């Protein structure tokens, strides 16, 4: 099992550009999450999903969108990149709401 | 505001020392997680607990629900334990999907 995979590992964007961060898991987990990690700060939840077709906002959703068309995939879309979105992004999944979460390797995004 | 506080922020230890990292939170929780973030950035779950104590190898996690406090202990520390240790809590309440994370404790173990 690959677990949780994320692509790309690194990306530099210009202000106003768009991109999609990919996340996939092969553990048949219902719950998936997107977090951002800023230097010196705790992880913050951007969006989460409790199953295919169901998504909801987390603590810091502004500037992002998600979709969940399959159990395996949970892409995160940045429509108009801003310098404030420079961060490391982690995708995670869990079997259920109260279970441990499995994290992907992260995507380091810089917006210039 | 529900917050998770970790101490110390940074910790340097000699190989073989006993390490304690602390986590405190403000209101009732349904579960507390300890996570390890490697120098390369990857995050792995170490423990999830709601009461008492759990042990895995040289790692021990304890929680005191009344005092709203948890500790992560590392016995016989080794340089490979060098990492950032993160505490996260799930607050009680219906629909509590979110974890609230502490800022992490950076541990460096010197040979």
């Amino acid at each position: 099992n690959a677990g949780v995979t994320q692509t790309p590992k690194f990306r530099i964007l210009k202000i106003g550009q768009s991109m999609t961060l990919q996340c996939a898991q092969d553990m048949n987990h219902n719950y998936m999450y997107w977090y951002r990690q800023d230097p010196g700060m705790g992880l913050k939840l951007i969006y989460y999903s409790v199953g295919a077709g169901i998504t909801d906002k987390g603590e810091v959703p502004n500037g992002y969108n998600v979709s969940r068309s399959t159990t395996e995939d949970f892409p995160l879309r940045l429509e108009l990149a801003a310098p404030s979105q420079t961060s490391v992004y982690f995708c995670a999944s869990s079997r259920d709401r109260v279970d441990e979460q499995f994290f992907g390797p992260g995507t380091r995004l810089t917006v210039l | 505001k529900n917050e998770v506080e970790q101490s110390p922020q940074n910790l340097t230890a000699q190989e073989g020392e006993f390490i304690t990292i602390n986590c405190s939170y403000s209101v009732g929780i349904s579960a507390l997680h300890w996570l390890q973030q490697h120098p390369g950035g990857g995050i792995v779950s170490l423990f999830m607990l709601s009461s008492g104590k759990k042990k895995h190898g040289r790692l021990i996690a304890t929680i005191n629900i009344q005092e709203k406090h948890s500790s992560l202990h590392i016995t016989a520390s080794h340089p490979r334990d060098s990492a950032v240790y993160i505490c996260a809590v799930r607050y009680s309440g219906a629909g509590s999907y979110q974890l609230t994370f502490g800022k992490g404790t950076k541990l460096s173990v010197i040979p």
Side-chain angles (χ1 to χ4, degrees):
Chain A
N1 286 349
V4 180
T5 58
Q6 289 183 239
T7 55
K9 284 191 169 60
F10 305 93
R11 183 73 185 268
I12 298 174
L13 283 182
K14 294 183 180 177
I15 294 172
Q17 286 186 318
S18 301
M19 79 163 294
T20 299
L21 282 67
Q22 301 292 345
C23 173
Q25 52 92 10
D26 62 0
M27 297 174 282
N28 202 33
H29 285 171
N30 285 322
Y31 289 73
M32 296 188 75
Y33 315 84
W34 273 107
Y35 296 99
R36 60 178 288 171
Q37 185 179 41
D38 299 317
M41 303 297 291
L43 287 144
K44 302 287 187 188
L45 182 66
I46 305 171
Y47 270 95
Y48 66 95
S49 170
V50 303
I54 307 170
T55 63
D56 207 349
K57 296 177 180 178
E59 187 179 355
V60 290
N62 291 346
Y64 307 95
N65 277 301
V66 293
S67 59
R68 184 97 181 269
S69 56
T70 66
T71 299
E72 294 78 20
D73 300 298
F74 190 40
L76 178 72
R77 178 87 179 156
L78 283 72
E79 289 295 346
L80 291 170
S84 60
Q85 294 177 305
T86 293
S87 190
V88 181
Y89 291 84
F90 288 96
C91 179
S93 72
S94 63
R95 185 182 54 185
D96 60 39
R97 180 171 67 89
V98 298
D99 207 359
E100 69 172 310
Q101 294 185 15
F102 294 82
F103 286 79
T107 294
R108 184 175 294 274
L109 176 67
T110 302
V111 182
L112 301 173
Chain B
K1 184 177 178 181
N2 299 334
E3 291 187 342
V4 177
E5 299 289 338
Q6 287 187 236
S7 63
Q9 280 187 290
N10 294 283
L11 180 56
T12 301
Q14 292 288 331
E15 183 174 356
E17 283 186 6
F18 181 84
I19 305 290
T20 296
I21 298 170
N22 298 298
C23 175
S24 60
Y25 50 92
S26 52
V27 296
I29 65 169
S30 59
L32 183 143
H33 298 246
W34 281 103
L35 307 158
Q36 180 190 53
Q37 186 167 23
H38 298 292
I43 300 173
V44 295
S45 178
L46 297 174
F47 296 103
M48 184 177 68
L49 64 167
S50 55
S51 65
K53 175 179 170 178
K54 287 190 175 180
K55 184 175 188 289
H56 184 228
R58 294 180 295 106
L59 300 177
I60 303 166
T62 65
I63 188 168
N64 185 316
I65 297 296
Q66 287 73 31
E67 294 187 4
K68 297 184 176 57
H69 180 268
S70 175
S71 293
L72 177 68
H73 306 286
I74 305 174
T75 61
S77 59
H78 190 276
R80 65 175 174 265
D81 297 324
S82 298
V84 175
Y85 292 84
I86 301 170
C87 173
V89 303
R90 184 182 311 284
Y91 286 106
S92 302
S96 55
Y97 296 99
Q98 297 195 29
L99 290 178
T100 301
F101 293 81
K103 295 179 181 178
T105 294
K106 185 175 182 180
L107 172 65
S108 300
V109 181
I110 300 169

